[in-house]
Amino acid sequence: MENKMFCYQCQETAGNSGCTQAGVCGKTSETAGLQDLLIYATKGLSEVAAHLRKENKPVAPKINHLVTENLFVTITNANFDPDFITKRIECTLSRKAELLGQLDHSENLSEAALWNADKAGFAAKASAVGILTTENEDIRSLRELIVYGLKGMAAYLKHANALGKENEAIDAFLQSTLAKTLDDSLGVNDLVALTLETGKYGVDALALLDDANTSTYGKPEITKVNLGVGKNPGILISGHDLRDLEMLLKQTEGTGVDVYTHSEMLPAHYYPAFKKYPHFIGNYGNAWWKQKEEFEAFNGPVLMTTNCLVPPKDSYKNRVYTTGTVSYPGCPHIPGGPGEEKDFSALIAHAKRCAPPTELETGEIIGGFAHDQVLALADQIVDAVKSGAIKKFVVMAGCDGRAKSRNYYTDFANALPKDAVILTAGCAKYKYNKLNLGDIGGIPRVLDAGQCNDSYSLAVIALKLKEVFGLDDINDLPIVYNIAWYEQKAVIVLLALLSLGVKNIHLGPTLPAFLSPNVAKVLVENFGIAGISTVEDDIQNFFEPQEEAAEGTITGDTLIGEILRMNPEAEPILMSCGMHCLGCPASQMESLRDACAVHGIDVNGVLYRLNQLN
């Protein structure tokens, strides 16, 4: 990482103040510098808020919201507008000054907590606060890993806040941790521990958002989503914010304007609350990076509610409306913060002047396999695993991108054994959710849990399966992880999985460039983090070892004595099933099936646990 950083806008190496590929991603050096400064100012505000809490003084929700929104502004492909970011910095400094006035003791505060200036001094300060100001590569790497995780956490909190859900403990952790990235007394070991704690709170933030979404809009259901178009003018809504979608659907009722989802908004169709709108037609297009062609073809206006905006072409730029933390110079912006009603009348009027969307495809895709829906199928899934119809689940969550190397995930999905089922969330699904992969006994081979925001479902499903199969370790499940990462929300999902004890996660197309060699080594040695290889090699790595061990597989006809000779570690499993006479010669001559029958035990569950030992 010598004198370089990584630009999340276009996945290119960049200098300290921005991307060297500005023509590719649209992020100018000025915008990059102001984003660095906004993060710096937000760290300072967070430090002051943390000190207030230490003095047992309350921190208002508006401060919590300001911090989370500031972080969200700097997430990949969210905000390209220097004027917008400048105003956020000014607001942050103003709020920080108010909090400083409430402190009884302001000694020992960092320079970031005390810094103040008007916008004339922003450019000079921005050049001095980039990540390269930290000389130690490993410290810098861990700080950035934590900050990227906090940005992802902030995105989830922002969506939960929009639906009236708050969690002061998570906000307090986020702010105190953001402040700790300024603390030069923290060494590598301290920051590694803080990274894992960030993952723990990431799980809590995901759970908070899951509760906000399901309590407001109902639990996702298995749903077939239309891919075609209607005859009316339409509005295309992209991003992740379900509250924005709800307001838009209400305001377009009876107007003759249809509403379509794009990219990460696809899973909105799975929620019962949105199914009552007949003008909610279906999903249009694919992942975010194809939007230049798809927004052009849609003909009508587009509402960007969160990140994943590609700098628009002049031919449709006037049709791209932004809201919330998203902004692009020259695009109309619709104001409104968490809990506020937004006025989409200009957007609706614009739609009425436009032609209906040009049809890109026809047919349907199926989704809605969030944790409650999958657990409703638990008996069916468990039976399929016990019978061998399903040999493995493959978690292929994460983010899609334009790089050709990401075609790996399409090829990997096509190459999977027919007894493997994909669990997915996020826009990575667009690499394979329209493939004809079939089903296993009525269970689709692609189970889409929803947005990247819904990755919580993947953790809940894994934990529930661990309980159902009576396993002590989540890593004993027949689940492998092959995740496509791109931006900061993928980072907090990764840290959340690590905090739950999940190991041997594969990340692609490459390991994150912000990881220093030493930090990458820690993740590899302690958690088994690995990259990807070729499709052929990875299929062999994930699946062939299981097939090679088939000769030693225990069956219902295997004698108890033979099981104990094959693997002495089987004894406690058998003992836990009530088989306490294992030393008796007669018992050892008994088949596992007969022994289970005597004790009234399902032989398939015991077989599964025993064969996990091989």
Side-chain angles (χ1 to χ4, degrees), residues 116-143:
N116 201 354
D118 58 29
K119 63 181 179 182
F122 286 0
K125 188 65 176 177
S127 65
V129 296
I131 68 169
L132 295 180
T133 56
T134 304
E135 293 184 3
N136 184 299
E137 183 181 40
D138 297 331
I139 296 294
R140 182 172 67 220
S141 178
L142 285 164
R143 284 178 175 176

Side-chain angles (χ1 to χ4, degrees), residues 51 320 455:
H51 276 254
V320 176
S455 296

Side-chain angles (χ1 to χ4, degrees), residues 225-226 235 237 242 245-246 248-249 252 257-262 265-283:
V225 182
N226 173 45
I235 294 173
I237 182 168
L242 297 181
L245 172 63
E246 180 186 22
L248 180 64
L249 287 171
T252 48
V257 174
D258 292 335
V259 176
Y260 298 79
T261 56
H262 176 264
M265 198 61 84
L266 160 66
H269 292 278
Y270 311 155
Y271 288 92
F274 299 129
K275 294 181 179 182
K276 66 183 179 183
Y277 296 98
H279 63 297
F280 192 34
I281 301 299
N283 190 70

Side-chain angles (χ1 to χ4, degrees), residues 378-540:
D379 290 343
Q380 187 178 349
I381 291 172
V382 169
D383 287 345
V385 172
K386 288 179 177 178
S387 70
I390 295 177
K391 289 288 179 59
K392 276 193 178 179
F393 296 94
V394 185
V395 174
M396 292 177 66
C399 309
D400 196 10
R402 66 172 65 87
K404 288 184 178 179
S405 57
R406 290 179 181 269
N407 292 335
Y408 160 94
Y409 294 100
T410 301
D411 297 337
F412 185 84
N414 271 318
L416 284 173
K418 302 304 182 186
D419 53 16
V421 172
I422 295 172
L423 299 174
T424 191
C427 63
K429 63 173 154 277
Y430 283 101
K431 287 298 183 189
Y432 41 79
N433 68 341
K434 296 176 184 178
L435 300 176
N436 185 21
L437 297 179
D439 63 80
I440 299 175
I443 301 170
R445 289 189 59 225
V446 177
L447 301 181
D448 176 22
Q451 301 178 342
C452 61
N453 298 3
D454 299 312
S455 296
Y456 177 69
S457 279
L458 305 182
V460 172
I461 291 167
L463 291 170
K464 184 61 178 179
L465 289 176
K466 170 177 172 268
E467 176 187 329
V468 168
F469 287 118
L471 302 175
D472 295 325
D473 189 340
I474 196 171
N475 297 292
D476 290 337
L477 284 168
I479 299 178
V480 296
Y481 296 82
N482 195 5
I483 296 175
W485 77 277
Y486 192 96
E487 47 95 355
Q488 291 90 330
K489 282 184 278 186
V491 174
I492 191 58
V493 171
L494 170 64
L495 298 184
L497 289 173
L498 295 182
S499 76
L500 292 172
V502 176
K503 295 185 177 181
N504 303 317
I505 297 172
H506 289 251
L507 296 176
T510 60
L511 289 178
F514 57 80
L515 297 178
S516 69
N518 287 333
V519 171
K521 183 179 179 183
V522 169
L523 293 177
V524 170
E525 292 180 349
N526 291 281
F527 303 102
I529 296 293
I532 61 173
S533 181
T534 65
V535 169
E536 294 76 13
D537 287 348
D538 287 341
I539 290 291
Q540 183 175 11

Side-chain angles (χ1 to χ4, degrees), residues 117-306:
D118 58 29
K119 63 181 179 182
F122 286 0
K125 188 65 176 177
S127 65
V129 296
I131 68 169
L132 295 180
T133 56
T134 304
E135 293 184 3
N136 184 299
E137 183 181 40
D138 297 331
I139 296 294
R140 182 172 67 220
S141 178
L142 285 164
R143 284 178 175 176
E144 287 309 291
L145 179 58
I146 291 167
V147 170
Y148 295 143
L150 294 177
K151 286 185 181 185
M153 188 189 303
Y156 300 140
L157 290 176
K158 188 267 183 186
H159 291 305
N161 296 158
L163 297 175
K165 296 290 184 177
E166 308 279 345
N167 188 310
E168 168 64 15
I170 301 175
D171 284 309
F173 170 80
L174 186 152
Q175 291 162 33
S176 66
T177 302
L178 202 56
K180 287 175 183 176
T181 63
L182 296 166
D183 188 348
D184 291 332
S185 71
L186 298 181
V188 168
N189 291 337
D190 301 310
L191 293 174
V192 168
L194 193 57
T195 299
L196 293 179
E197 193 175 8
T198 300
K200 174 183 174 296
Y201 277 90
V203 175
D204 294 341
L206 284 163
L208 181 70
L209 177 57
D210 180 78
D211 177 56
N213 286 338
T214 56
S215 63
T216 305
Y217 303 118
K219 295 177 180 179
E221 305 167 335
I222 299 175
T223 304
K224 291 181 178 179
V225 182
N226 173 45
L227 298 178
V229 300
K231 297 180 179 179
N232 295 330
I235 294 173
L236 188 62
I237 182 168
S238 193
H240 306 76
D241 200 297
L242 297 181
R243 173 66 177 140
D244 284 341
L245 172 63
E246 180 186 22
M247 289 185 283
L248 180 64
L249 287 171
K250 287 181 178 178
Q251 293 179 37
T252 48
E253 277 190 294
T255 64
V257 174
D258 292 335
V259 176
Y260 298 79
T261 56
H262 176 264
S263 192
E264 281 275 62
M265 198 61 84
L266 160 66
H269 292 278
Y270 311 155
Y271 288 92
F274 299 129
K275 294 181 179 182
K276 66 183 179 183
Y277 296 98
H279 63 297
F280 192 34
I281 301 299
N283 190 70
Y284 189 87
N286 297 278
W288 63 274
W289 61 274
K290 290 187 176 181
Q291 63 188 247
K292 286 194 174 183
E293 297 79 14
E294 294 172 352
F295 286 7
E296 188 84 70
F298 186 74
N299 299 323
V302 179
L303 178 63
M304 289 299 308
T305 65
T306 62

